[in-house]
């Protein structure tokens, strides 16, 4: 009996140990190290014009999301915490881009999660294609000079984004 | 050049003057083989030329579809964007069509996508010059085989020339010039065929090259446009419908569905001019195909909702009910039609 329990316990440990890391998965992209494609559009909240260029001098976290995407629901509290952490420092800006979603659903999703950063509706998917996005959530970290530093697929964490920014800052 | 060849031939005559002449039957048999080879070559060149000349020039929709089959769907496993219904595949399809409409070449489109998604986005080696060369090796091989057959035939004929020069010297010159003409004509045919193929491939519009439009591709485009419209991407859908109409000005469905989208946009913007543009499309659709039920449904709805003329709308609705075979469309519009009849003060027909 005790041997059976031991075998099961070892198997569970092995299964859990072999599970892939789902958070902060950085992947390669032809965009890395290059100037980030410009983004411009109307803010979902204020209906004012937004451009990626207007964030120059700050790190920018671009997050492609959709209200229907489950991993987006998982990462949203982390993004909200990350935004709150950097809000007073004003060294990081965040920009949401909808992925195959309606403006009303996307706005509702952001509001219900307490997200206050600007977001743009990408109706034709042209912004997603210009960033090589396959499916949400995908997140890009852009340097203060406008260079693409990292591409992350799947849900991200506050800690993971902080770590990427620290790494980049220490290099400069 | 000719005088040295003549000298060589004369020398051969002197050297071979003691050789016994070939039997007449053998010469005739070789000539028959030679003629047979020429017939085969001309037949093959003719077949290739005919097939090349009759190849229809691809329409923008066909070009787009062809390219879409070479682009990997980024969010799928082993599917091209042409075969996938994922949101990003639909968006890439719309982008490909837009870029083709802007006269971007296939390689420009592939390079753009590769610069965003990496080389794995390509299912075929169109992005790399070396890989492209490998891709076309079979075609080059066929052409090379033709040239080889011709070369062998002429080499053999030159051997025969040497053997027969003893007693056919003056006739040889004539035959040689005739063979040269055949060679020039044959190579010209092959050259024209190759040039035509290359020009067709790079997208140059050529004569005899606009027949046999594919209806499958148009259906696929309509399906894409409907999907985009359902996703709320009306602008992208309108681009596709407009493309279909440009390729096939008699496509009533494209006119009807584009007209519907335009009237909806006009109604949202309260712009009567835009609504009228949409109505023009709906009328064109009905003119092309008077039994296209959806065009009558759309027109009836515009007349009822935007022009507030229920009596006039009933005329269109009754034609829709007469010809419609789409149950989903009927269920979706049933309440609207009943409400229209009620507003006109007319007893509605039984709608199943």
């Amino acid at each position: 009996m005790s041997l059976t329990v031991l075998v099961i316990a070892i198997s569970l440990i092995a299964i859990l140990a072999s599970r892939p890391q789902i958070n902060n998965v950085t992947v390669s992209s032809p965009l890395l190290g290059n100037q980030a494609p410009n983004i411009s559009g109307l803010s979902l909240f204020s209906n004012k014009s937004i451009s990626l260029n207007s964030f120059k001098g700050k790190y920018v976290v671009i997050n492609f999301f959709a209200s229907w995407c489950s991993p987006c629901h998982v990462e949203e509290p982390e993004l909200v915490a990350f935004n709150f952490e950097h809000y007073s420092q004003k060294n990081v800006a965040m920009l949401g881009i909808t992925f195959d979603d309606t403006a009303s659903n996307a706005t509702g999703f952001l509001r219900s999660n307490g997200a206050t950063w600007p977001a743009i509706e990408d109706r034709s998917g042209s912004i997603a294609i210009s960033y090589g996005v396959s499916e949400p959530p995908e997140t890009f970290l852009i340097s203060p000079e406008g260079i693409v530093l990292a591409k992350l697929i799947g849900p991200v964490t506050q800690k993971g984004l902080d770590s990427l920014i620290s790494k980049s800052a220490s290099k400069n | 050049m000719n005088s040295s060849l003549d000298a060589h031939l004369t020398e051969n005559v002197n050297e071979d003057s003691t050789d016994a002449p070939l039997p007449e039957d053998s010469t005739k048999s070789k000539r028959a083989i030679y003629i047979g080879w020429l017939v085969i070559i001309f037949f093959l060149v003719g077949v290739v030329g005919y097939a090349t000349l009759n190849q229809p020039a691809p329409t923008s929709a066909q070009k787009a579809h062809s390219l879409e089959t070479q682009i990997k769907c980024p969010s799928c496993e082993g599917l091209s964007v042409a075969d996938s219904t994922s949101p990003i595949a639909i968006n890439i399809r719309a982008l490909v069509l837009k870029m083709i409409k802007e006269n971007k070449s296939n390689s420009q489109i592939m390079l753009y996508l590769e610069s965003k998604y990496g080389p794995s986005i390509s299912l075929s080696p169109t992005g790399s010059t070396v890989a492209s060369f490998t891709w076309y090796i079979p075609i080059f091989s066929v052409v090379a085989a033709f040239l080889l057959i011709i070369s062998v035939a002429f080499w053999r004929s030159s051997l025969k020339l040497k053997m027969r020069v003893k007693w056919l010297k003056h006739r040889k010159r004539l035959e040689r010039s005739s063979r040269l003409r055949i060679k020039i004509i044959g190579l010209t045919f092959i050259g024209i065929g190759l040039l035509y193929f290359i020009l067709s491939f790079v997208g140059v519009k050529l004569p005899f090259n606009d027949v046999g439009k594919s209806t499958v591709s148009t259906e696929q485009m309509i399906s894409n446009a409907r999907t985009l419209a359902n996703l709320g991407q009306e602008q992208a859908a309108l681009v596709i419908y407009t493309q279909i109409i440009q390729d096939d000005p008699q496509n009533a469905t494209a006119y009807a569905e584009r007209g519907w989208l335009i009237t909806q946009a006009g109604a949202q913007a309260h712009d009567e001019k835009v609504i009228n543009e949409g109505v023009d499309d709906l009328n064109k659709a009905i003119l092309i195909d008077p039994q296209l039920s959806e065009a009558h449904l759309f027109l009836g709805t515009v007349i009822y909702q935007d022009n507030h003329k229920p009596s006039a709308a009933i005329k269109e609705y009754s034609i829709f009910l007469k010809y419609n075979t789409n149950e989903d469309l009927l269920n979706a519009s049933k309440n609207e039609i009943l409400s229209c009849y009620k507003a006109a003060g007319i007893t509605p027909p039984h709608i199943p």
Side-chain angles (χ1 to χ4, degrees):
Chain A
M1 184 67 181
S2 60
L3 185 67
T4 311
V5 172
L6 186 66
V7 168
I8 293 170
I10 290 170
S11 305
L12 276 174
I13 290 166
I15 289 166
L16 290 172
S18 63
R19 281 179 70 183
Q21 182 75 20
I22 58 161
N23 290 332
N24 293 305
V25 181
T26 53
V27 293
S28 68
S29 162
L31 299 174
L32 296 183
N34 293 319
Q35 196 69 31
N38 192 27
I39 297 172
S40 58
L42 293 176
S43 168
L44 285 176
F45 293 124
S46 65
N47 216 25
K48 282 181 186 167
S49 181
I50 307 170
S51 166
L52 180 63
N53 289 334
S54 62
F55 297 117
K56 278 235 166 127
K58 289 179 179 180
Y59 284 98
V60 185
V61 174
I62 301 172
N63 179 243
F64 289 85
F65 72 99
S67 61
W68 47 262
C69 141
S70 306
C72 301
H73 287 260
V74 172
E75 74 171 358
E76 205 60 15
E78 294 282 338
L79 287 173
V80 170
F82 174 79
N83 184 53
F84 182 75
E85 176 196 349
H86 292 276
Y87 187 76
S88 55
Q89 299 171 29
K90 298 196 184 297
N91 62 337
V92 178
M94 293 192 62
L95 180 60
I97 312 289
T98 65
F99 183 96
D100 189 37
D101 207 355
T102 61
S104 58
N105 285 348
T107 310
F109 168 74
L110 290 172
R111 284 199 173 134
S112 65
N113 280 285
T116 53
W117 54 85
I120 294 174
E121 187 187 10
D122 182 21
R123 292 187 83 183
S124 66
S126 57
I127 302 174
I129 294 172
S130 72
Y131 275 79
V133 172
S134 301
E135 55 189 339
E138 287 192 18
T139 306
F140 292 81
L141 179 64
I142 312 296
S143 77
E145 296 78 30
I147 304 296
V148 181
L149 296 176
K151 174 182 179 177
L152 299 104
I153 56 168
V156 294
T157 61
Q158 176 188 9
K159 204 176 159 187
L161 288 174
D162 276 334
S163 158
L164 283 172
I165 289 176
S166 305
K167 245 186 233 174
S168 165
S170 65
K171 277 183 190 170
N172 293 333
Chain B
M1 183 71 180
N2 281 340
S3 60
S4 69
L5 185 60
D6 288 346
H8 176 70
L9 290 172
T10 313
E11 192 182 327
N12 280 342
V13 169
N14 295 335
E15 277 174 11
D16 299 344
S17 58
T18 53
D19 291 352
L22 286 175
E24 191 66 21
D25 286 351
S26 164
T27 308
K28 279 183 182 170
S29 150
K30 283 177 180 174
R31 187 174 295 166
I33 291 168
Y34 174 69
I35 290 167
W37 268 113
L38 280 180
V39 169
I40 289 168
I41 289 165
F42 275 107
F43 175 74
L44 290 174
V45 168
V47 167
V48 170
Y50 181 79
T52 310
L53 286 171
N54 276 286
Q55 197 176 358
T59 60
S60 297
Q62 285 170 325
K63 273 189 202 170
H65 184 69
S66 166
L67 187 57
E68 284 160 10
T69 60
Q70 296 166 34
I71 300 167
K72 185 182 174 300
C73 165
S75 60
C76 324
E77 284 294 326
L79 276 182
S80 71
V81 293
D83 299 324
S84 170
T85 53
S86 75
I88 196 68
I90 291 167
N91 288 335
I92 289 176
R93 288 205 293 260
L95 178 78
V96 166
L97 184 64
K98 185 171 164 267
M99 290 178 87
I100 283 177
K101 218 180 152 191
E102 289 166 358
N103 290 325
K104 296 277 192 303
S105 70
N106 283 7
S107 55
Q108 281 176 310
I109 297 168
M110 287 309 296
L111 280 175
Y112 174 76
L113 291 172
E114 283 181 12
S115 73
K116 304 302 178 187
Y117 289 93
S120 63
I121 191 80
S122 172
L123 286 174
S124 71
T126 50
S128 131
T129 311
V130 175
S132 297
F133 180 74
T134 316
W135 192 251
Y136 291 106
I137 276 180
I139 296 165
F140 291 133
S141 302
V142 171
V143 174
F146 272 123
L147 294 175
L148 188 66
I149 288 167
I150 290 167
S151 304
V152 168
F154 282 106
W155 175 69
R156 287 184 63 179
S157 72
S158 73
L159 278 181
K160 282 183 213 166
L161 176 69
K162 199 173 176 183
M163 289 168 70
R164 285 151 60 184
V165 73
K166 287 171 277 186
W167 70 90
L168 289 171
K169 188 180 169 186
H170 65 286
R171 282 181 63 188
K172 271 290 160 240
R173 285 201 184 115
L174 291 172
E175 283 181 13
R176 192 180 55 185
S177 68
S178 130
R179 274 197 297 274
L180 188 65
R181 275 199 292 273
I182 291 166
K183 188 178 178 181
I184 289 167
I185 291 166
L187 288 175
T188 305
F189 267 108
I190 291 172
I192 290 168
L194 272 176
L195 187 67
Y196 199 91
F197 173 78
I198 291 163
L199 290 176
S200 296
F201 182 74
V202 298
V204 176
K205 199 169 173 65
L206 297 166
F208 315 114
N209 214 356
D210 56 354
V211 291
K213 284 181 181 174
S214 162
T215 52
V216 177
S217 186
T218 305
E219 283 165 9
Q220 175 79 46
M221 298 312 300
I222 285 179
S223 164
N224 291 349
R226 283 174 182 163
T227 311
L228 285 167
N230 288 335
L231 287 169
Q233 296 177 14
E234 293 90 355
Q235 284 300 327
L238 282 173
V239 168
I240 296 175
Y241 284 128
T242 304
Q243 188 59 53
I244 295 167
I245 291 166
Q246 275 180 12
D247 292 341
D248 176 12
Q250 293 300 306
N251 194 310
T253 305
Y255 269 117
E257 292 178 16
R258 186 177 76 168
W260 174 245
L261 288 181
I262 293 172
T263 55
Q264 293 305 293
Q268 268 184 6
H270 304 290
D271 189 334
E272 202 175 328
K273 198 179 161 193
V274 176
I275 294 174
N276 288 338
E277 278 176 27
V279 170
D280 283 348
D281 269 0
L282 293 172
N283 283 326
K284 271 181 203 159
I286 292 169
L287 200 65
I288 295 165
D289 183 359
Q291 295 184 7
L292 186 69
S293 61
E294 61 176 322
H296 290 284
L297 172 68
F298 296 153
L299 189 57
T301 305
V302 173
I303 294 169
Y304 174 44
Q305 286 188 342
D306 299 321
N307 300 350
H308 310 292
K309 293 176 181 169
S311 303
I314 283 171
K315 188 187 155 201
E316 299 300 330
Y317 282 144
S318 61
I319 302 172
F320 162 70
L321 292 171
K322 185 178 174 187
Y323 292 115
N324 179 56
T325 53
N326 185 332
E327 212 171 300
D328 292 336
L329 204 58
L330 184 67
N331 288 332
S333 56
K334 193 174 171 180
N335 290 338
E336 186 76 18
I337 295 170
L338 292 175
S339 150
C340 179
Y341 272 87
K342 198 177 168 187
I346 297 171
T347 312
H350 171 68
I351 302 174

